[in-house]
């Protein structure tokens, strides 16, 4: 009976020990950096108060989770730095990137800016492979490369330049 208890205790300890030696998932960090925005169509039409510059902001989803929006950038075509520092334990990270134009006040609802070349689709959807750095989907390339996305098929067309670092 004593041998059975010792054997059981040894197996239990080995089970705990082997579980504690399992490899933890590696969390990889990366950044999405948006460097320039531009309107192709006039997003802020001439109103009673005169013409106005576009007030761009972006919204980002990572693996379906809303990561919030950036601050506004008041420019019809301008350089900026919107940086989103992210991390994921998943090898493949699904990303959705949306560009909006803030109308605020009396101008009505915000404009959903078309930055996708496909008709009927305004956002960019792509997958980032955190191991190889490959990017596939609505944009194709590699980590570190500069992407230029321009809407072609819908109204409220704009452009966005960004990279993944």
């Amino acid at each position: 009976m004593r041998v059975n208890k010792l054997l059981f205790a040894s197996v239990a300890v080995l089970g705990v020990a082997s579980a504690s030696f399992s490899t933890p998932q590696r969390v990889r960090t990366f950044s999405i950096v948006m460097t320039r925005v531009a309107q192709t169509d006039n997003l802020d039409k001439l109103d009673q108060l005169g013409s106005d510059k576009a007030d761009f902001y972006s919204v980002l989803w990572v693996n379906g989770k809303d990561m919030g929006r950036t601050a506004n950038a008041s420019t019809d075509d301008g350089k900026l730095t919107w940086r989103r520092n992210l991390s994921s334990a998943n090898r493949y990270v699904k990303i959705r990137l949306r560009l909006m134009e803030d109308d605020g006040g009396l101008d009505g609802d915000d404009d959903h800016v078309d930055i996708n070349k496909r008709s009927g689709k305004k956002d960019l959807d792509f997958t980032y492979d955190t191991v190889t750095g490959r990017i596939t989907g609505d944009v194709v390339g590699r980590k570190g490369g500069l992407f230029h996305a321009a809407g072609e098929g819908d109204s409220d067309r704009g452009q966005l330049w960004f990279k993944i670092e």
Side-chain angles (χ1 to χ4, degrees), residues 19-62:
S20 65
F21 286 114
S22 66
T23 307
Q25 279 193 318
R26 181 174 177 213
V27 174
R28 293 175 176 88
T29 59
F30 59 97
S31 299
I32 296 178
V33 182
M34 292 161 264
T35 59
R36 182 177 170 196
V37 291
Q39 65 179 5
T40 303
D41 295 334
N42 184 4
L43 298 172
D44 267 336
K45 298 3 173 228
L46 185 63
D47 61 22
Q48 299 163 352
L49 304 174
S51 79
D52 190 13
K53 295 211 181 286
D55 299 305
F56 289 108
Y57 65 92
S58 68
V59 184
L60 178 70
W61 289 266
V62 176

Side-chain angles (χ1 to χ4, degrees), residues 153-165:
D154 299 300
S155 61
D156 294 332
R157 294 172 303 148
Q159 301 175 64
L160 176 67
W161 288 258
F162 71 97
K163 59 187 171 179
I164 296 180
E165 298 179 332

Side-chain angles (χ1 to χ4, degrees), residues 95-112:
I95 298 169
R96 172 171 282 175
L97 189 53
R98 176 175 291 171
L99 187 62
M100 298 291 291
E101 196 280 324
D102 188 353
D103 283 329
L106 302 175
D107 287 337
D109 293 335
D110 293 353
D111 299 312
H112 186 175

